[in-house]
Structures are given as C-alpha cells and as structure tokens.
Amino acid sequence: MSTATHTMTIDGKAVTAAATINAVNPATEQVVGTAPDCSREQLDQAVAAARHAFSAWSATPLNERRAVLGRMAGVLAANAATLGELLSQEQGKPLAKAQEEVLISAHWCAEVAKLPLEPDTLADTPDSLVQVHRVPIGVVGAIVPWNFPVALAFFKIAPALLAGNTMVLKPSPLTPLTALKFGELLRDALPPGVFNVVSGGDALGPWMTAHPGIDKISFTGSTATGRKVMESGAATLKRLTLELGGNDAAIVLPDVDVNAVAPLIFWGAFANSAQFCLAIKRLYIHDAVYDRLSQALAKLAGSVKLGAATEAGVELGPVQNKAQFERLKGLLADCKAQGLRLLAGGEVAQQPGYFFPVTLVDNPPESSRIVQEEPFGPILPLLRFTDIDDAVARANASPYGLGASVWTADEAQGLAIGRRLQAGTVWVNEIHTISPIKPMAGHKQSGLGVEQGEDGLLEYTLPQTVSLKRGGQASGAGA
C-alpha cells in the first residue's frame, strides 16, 4: 500500500502530502499502509473548502440531503468487503466484525436520514406565528478514535450533514486508512467541499480544535484529551460534543439465570477485545451467584479464540496499538504485585502482535487500579457484594458516568436500580443495544452533549426563533 492509494479528500479531490504516517497491523506489528500527514496549510484548505460549500449545502432542501445520505449508505454497503478488509488490517478486529461495522455504518446513514428536523410551531393564531427552526452550525470538525474507526465516524457524519453542516473529518493516526478510503469512495456522492477527510499525526487534532474556521468539534476519545479539546475550543467558543471515557459498572442480582446471562455479560465486557467505551469494566456480582457466574465466565474466557483477523474462527483480535498493550501489561503486573487471584488469563504470550488474553481478576479491593482505572482492554475485575445499596454506591463512586447495566429476573427491581445509577445509558437484561434513535449522553466526566437520536441530531444545529406579527401592524417594545 502507498500514499498513491490512500489520499486525503479536500474539496472533492485527491490530495497527498509531503510527509506520511504509517498504519501498523497490530496482529503482526508490520506496516500495512501509509497515509498523508496533513500540513497546517492543507488543513486550512480543507476548512476553506468546507466553508465555501456550506452556503449551498445548508440551502439544499432537507429531502435532498436525506437522499444524499441514502446514496452514502449505498456506497458503504456496496464496498463493505473492501472497507472491511482494510479495517481489519489496520485495527485488528476479526474480518467478519470489520465488515459488520461497515454495514452498521451504512444502516446508520439510512436511519439517521429519517429523523425529523422540521420547525417546531409554538403559536399559530390569527395574530401571530412563532416557530423555532433548527439551523446548521457551519463547519464541523470531527475527530474519531481507533476502536471503531468507521462506525464512530458515521455517528458524526450522518447527523452533521443531514442538519446542513459541512465537515472536516480526522481519523486516528493509528487507523487512518479506512477513513481515507471511504472519503475517496464518497467523492461522487457529495458536492465538493461538503465532506473532507484529512489524516495526520498528533499535531493535527490541536490545529483543528483551535482553528477559527471550524464552528463545532465533535470528539470521541479519552477524558484527558477531551479536556484539552474543551480548553482549545474555548478561545472561539466552539460548540462541542464530547463522547469520552467510561468505567462502566454492571450489577448482577442473585435471581439471575447464570447460564443465560453469562454469555451476554461476557461479550458485554469483551466485545472488540474490550476496546469499547461502553464495555463492562466493573462487574459487581451478588455473593449468592458469584462463584457460579465467575466460573461460567472463566470457562468462556478459556474457550474464546484469540488471533489475527484472517484466522478462521477468530472471535477476538489483538489490542490495537503498542501503547495500549503496554498499559494493559502494566495493569496486569499491578494485579500480580498485589497478590490478586486471576480466574482466567494473566499470561501474555511472547509472540509478534499485541495479543492480550481475556483476564478475570477475582474480587480485587475497590481501591485497586484495576477497579479505579478504565483498562480499555480485555481485563475485568469481578467484585462481590451482598447489599444492593452498597453495590449501587460503589458503582456510582466513579468520576465517569457513560453506561451501566443491571441483570435480574425481577424487571421492576432492575428498572428501579437502573434509575439510581449515575450513567447516561442504563441497560436492564441487555447491553450495547445502541440505535440511531436512542440518545446517548455521558454523565460526569464521560462527556458533554448528546449523540444519536433526535437529541443527537439537534447537537448539530442552533435554535432560531422566528416570530411574526400578522395583520400588517408592527409591534415591539418601542411601538
């Protein structure tokens, strides 16, 4: 692969750069492609193209913008095999899961296109008409992480474009190739300048968040970086949507069917090799079922196949990058240094690739790093409790509040406990049922603003109240 294959999209055209960055396959630690390293001048060009395109795009009738999103969905679906293969190479996830992510993104475009965005009429009388219109903000800078590089991009692209904004998208420098490829594929589906894709190293994100030509930043990533985004955007009072880190708690009550819930909880924790902002990261299990459920989870951990994306039957791939891999090894070493018991995993193979085994930690102290920190990888603390109020208090004792789940045979009790959890999304007897119509918001230090659903769409708009005095007679404070 080469920069000739992977180009940025600026004003509808293929653009290279003087410098490049490498994309590494985390299963082999080998370079699988190069991406342009966008210069500050090229970013200026992308922003200028988006600003120039904004006037016509924002004036395009809503139904026509809906149709464009439909065409985008078709392009993604038609190229799912190509994009999925590229995604699996640079991200590490199994090929089937990579293709599934592309198809989910196509589905997202098609469904977001159906969301309502008509004016809200507050008064319509013989004397007056008062309406609230939702107008686009302008140029949106979208900054996307490496765990779901396609889906998390389209979670931003679809609502931003539907609302009438234009966009400059920056993928993670660790997974730039797939975004550059779908930017190339979508060039004919959109007017030039409406959707631009730039790639680059660590300097590019700060350039975007401080850029005076960008009106809103939509960022998904760590809480620490989210604070920097917020600080950088303050100078120009940028609108912000920040979907940040989490340390999601799950509470399992003693009345569960252990055999039924064990696989759901396992994949709720370890899907995408636990590189998932909404993954279960603290599992509180009632003492009455702790031993049975922990044994069932350990059995699943021992049976799951870990390997490269191209291997048959692989269910979990490697950790995406070396820095995260080393951080997970540090957490594991800390567990061992504390003398904590491991119910599964715990031995990292000496081989090429960032392969980290599914690891279960048996009832560590609440103060331990593995409980207090977000691992963002396949190591999970199992925590005993006997009192529900205590479990809720421990679950809430976190600076994060992204997601949570409750598992019980008593639906009423599950809903009551769920309402007490300080998280933006709470699941009862299910998990990760994310949808284009369900709003998702981080509480506390897990984010700012809303993604998904009608509320998420409105994040890409500004309210404009239009008030008309009927009858030809002017009125006002001075009349």
Side-chain angles (χ1 to χ4, degrees), residues 208-278:
M208 288 178 64
T209 58
H211 201 292
I214 293 178
D215 303 292
K216 174 185 171 73
I217 292 289
S218 182
F219 169 81
T220 299
S222 71
T223 295
T225 305
R227 293 190 190 101
K228 295 178 182 177
V229 171
M230 196 170 187
E231 181 180 2
S232 178
T236 51
L237 288 181
K238 282 182 172 53
R239 272 57 184 173
L240 298 174
T241 299
L242 305 177
E243 198 268 281
L244 307 178
N247 198 2
D248 294 16
I251 297 177
V252 183
L253 301 188
D255 58 2
V256 296
D257 180 337
V258 168
N259 292 331
V261 303
L264 300 175
I265 291 172
F266 181 87
W267 289 110
F270 297 112
N272 202 45
S273 297
Q275 299 167 121
F276 199 159
C277 56
L278 288 163

Side-chain angles (χ1 to χ4, degrees), residues 47-100:
V47 174
R51 295 208 73 80
H52 178 75
F54 174 71
S55 179
W57 179 248
S58 60
T60 301
L62 178 60
N63 283 339
E64 291 186 26
R65 297 201 299 264
R66 295 189 196 280
V68 169
L69 259 65
R71 291 198 295 272
M72 292 168 64
V75 170
L76 289 174
N79 291 277
T82 298
L83 291 169
E85 182 177 1
L86 190 57
L87 175 59
S88 69
Q89 288 175 359
E90 66 173 344
Q91 203 281 335
K93 63 184 64 184
L95 181 58
K97 291 296 182 182
Q99 292 178 349
E100 179 183 291

Side-chain angles (χ1 to χ4, degrees), residues 54 57-58 62 65 69 72 108-109 112-113 115 117 134-142 152-169 190 194-195 216-218 241 450-453 456-462:
F54 174 71
W57 179 248
S58 60
L62 178 60
R65 297 201 299 264
L69 259 65
M72 292 168 64
W108 222 265
C109 276
V112 167
L115 292 176
L117 196 60
R134 304 301 304 206
V135 299
I137 297 171
V139 177
V140 173
L152 292 178
F154 280 92
F155 286 6
K156 303 177 188 305
I157 296 165
L161 298 190
L162 179 64
N165 302 284
T166 56
M167 176 173 280
V168 178
L169 172 74
L190 289 153
V194 170
F195 179 56
K216 174 185 171 73
I217 292 289
S218 182
T241 299
V450 185
E451 290 199 309
Q452 322 312 352
L457 175 59
L458 295 183
E459 289 272 319
Y460 291 94
T461 69
L462 296 170

Side-chain angles (χ1 to χ4, degrees), residues 137-189:
I137 297 171
V139 177
V140 173
I143 300 176
V144 180
W146 47 260
N147 56 331
F148 291 97
V150 182
L152 292 178
F154 280 92
F155 286 6
K156 303 177 188 305
I157 296 165
L161 298 190
L162 179 64
N165 302 284
T166 56
M167 176 173 280
V168 178
L169 172 74
K170 186 197 86 70
S172 166
L174 298 169
T175 53
L177 306 182
T178 314
L180 293 171
K181 185 63 177 179
F182 69 64
E184 172 193 330
L185 293 169
L186 291 172
R187 284 173 196 159
D188 293 336

